Amino acid sequence: MAHSPTTQHADPNPPPSRPKRRGRFIAYGVLALVLLLLVSVVGAVVWASSQAGQARLIAWATQAAEEVGYGFDIRGVEGSIFRDLSIENIALEVNSEVIFQAENIRFAWQPSALWSWVVQVEALTADAITLRLPAGDEAAEEPPAKPFSEQLASVQDALDGLALPVSLVLADLTIDRLTLETRAGPSDAAGDVTVYTVVVSGSADWPRDGAAARSLDLIIAGENGEGDAIIALAYAPATGDFDLATRVDVPDPQVMANLTGLPYALRLTIDGNGPLANWQGRVTGGLDQLAQISAPITLGVVGDALAV
């Protein structure tokens, strides 16, 4: 017996197709918002890079300083804060006295690194920076010092808690002349002013990752070649360890005589690793023709004091 083939018929009532118009409207709206954001950012960059924008930003900074009792002056701004910026002079005043002044500052960085959450500073340099510290109030009583163990714990907590939203990389820090002025008496007593002048260079790396190691390298040298100090410091929050490598070299005996009363050249190196409460290292060097040392060194907390 023959069977006829089965014939398939289309459904006379197919389900309605999903509307596409609403999806297009949402996509167009998101695209418009993104374009508006990009235009706003580009416009802000262009405005801040213009002379009018920079003048307005300086006016805002000056007004903000005045509102908290400071005098602020900035002159000779050239370039763009989004590329390479140079400033002829910056001064900060308190009670009509300049406490901070910087000359011929240059700031160069890579804004594109922000896409990787990194503030990449290529150069931060200055011809001269002067810091003037006012005399303290002798009549004021200082509060009693906290036990050393508590101070140490506060430092550790501050380092562990200082997590930046972005990584900070400073490739070149150079200050051709850093001057520190301290006063032992009233500000108008010129004879009580002590002046220290050095040359500073260095670099720094502070990752955004709270567990990654942070490092700082500094070279501090006398302005006229009186000596130098090289400091390399790294801190690992994950373990609480400090890596320290430092060298101090004062080859001129007269400089040491002025500082300590001992007319001997100084050469000293200190290297070590460990947490602040139990740091272990080695010290080598000493005063030429007087005393030399090469021995292990341990820093620890005994009671409420730092013991060596």
Side-chain angles (χ1 to χ4, degrees):
M1 181 175 180
H3 296 278
S4 60
T6 303
T7 303
Q8 296 182 352
H9 299 281
D11 190 349
N13 299 311
S17 60
R18 298 181 61 185
K20 298 182 179 180
R21 182 172 299 178
R22 181 179 300 176
R24 290 196 188 100
F25 285 159
I26 294 176
Y28 291 156
V30 171
L31 180 59
L33 289 175
V34 171
L35 290 176
L36 180 60
L37 178 61
L38 290 176
V39 170
S40 301
V41 171
V42 172
V45 171
V46 173
W47 176 80
S49 301
S50 66
Q51 292 184 351
Q54 290 177 357
R56 186 57 181 167
L57 291 175
I58 293 172
W60 282 342
T62 303
Q63 182 179 359
E66 291 176 350
E67 289 177 354
V68 294
Y70 290 91
F72 181 71
D73 181 54
I74 180 170
R75 302 178 184 176
V77 179
E78 296 182 358
S80 169
I81 194 173
F82 298 101
R83 294 188 300 273
D84 193 327
L85 182 71
S86 62
I87 303 174
E88 182 180 344
N89 188 80
I90 296 177
L92 185 65
E93 297 182 1
V94 176
N95 297 327
S96 301
E97 180 183 4
V98 177
I99 62 170
F100 171 84
Q101 187 168 13
E103 301 175 10
N104 296 326
I105 309 103
R106 176 175 175 259
F107 174 78
W109 68 307
Q110 294 290 342
S112 59
L114 288 175
W115 292 107
S116 302
W117 296 92
V118 178
V119 176
Q120 179 77 36
V121 180
E122 300 296 335
L124 179 58
T125 66
D127 286 355
I129 292 180
T130 302
L131 295 172
R132 297 181 177 91
L133 303 182
D137 187 357
E138 297 180 358
E141 294 184 3
E142 295 184 0
K146 294 182 179 180
F148 186 79
S149 57
E150 294 185 15
Q151 299 182 33
L152 195 63
S154 299
V155 173
Q156 192 84 43
D157 292 342
L159 289 172
D160 292 340
L162 188 56
L164 301 178
V166 295
S167 298
L168 175 62
V169 177
L170 175 57
D172 175 26
L173 169 67
T174 302
I175 305 173
D176 291 339
R177 191 173 190 266
L178 174 62
T179 302
L180 176 64
E181 297 182 5
T182 61
R183 291 180 173 85
S187 58
D188 57 350
D192 293 332
V193 177
T194 303
V195 180
Y196 304 93
T197 303
V198 294
V199 179
V200 178
S201 61
S203 60
D205 186 358
W206 197 283
R208 181 167 63 104
D209 184 358
R214 306 155 185 178
S215 64
L216 172 67
D217 296 321
L218 278 179
I219 300 177
I220 303 173
E223 184 183 21
N224 299 314
E226 298 93 342
D228 59 37
I230 300 176
I231 303 170
L233 178 64
Y235 173 63
T239 60
D241 287 348
F242 282 86
D243 284 328
L244 175 66
T246 181
R247 177 181 65 81
V248 179
D249 187 5
V250 185
D252 188 347
Q254 186 59 45
V255 174
M256 287 299 300
N258 295 337
L259 293 174
T260 65
L262 298 174
Y264 302 98
L266 171 67
R267 293 179 177 84
L268 194 68
T269 61
I270 301 176
D271 304 277
N273 172 269
L276 287 175
N278 186 27
W279 188 85
Q280 299 182 9
R282 189 170 190 85
V283 56
T284 305
L287 296 171
D288 288 352
Q289 303 177 5
L290 181 64
Q292 296 291 316
I293 186 175
S294 179
I297 182 174
T298 299
L299 301 180
V301 178
V302 177
D304 288 327
L306 179 66
V308 179

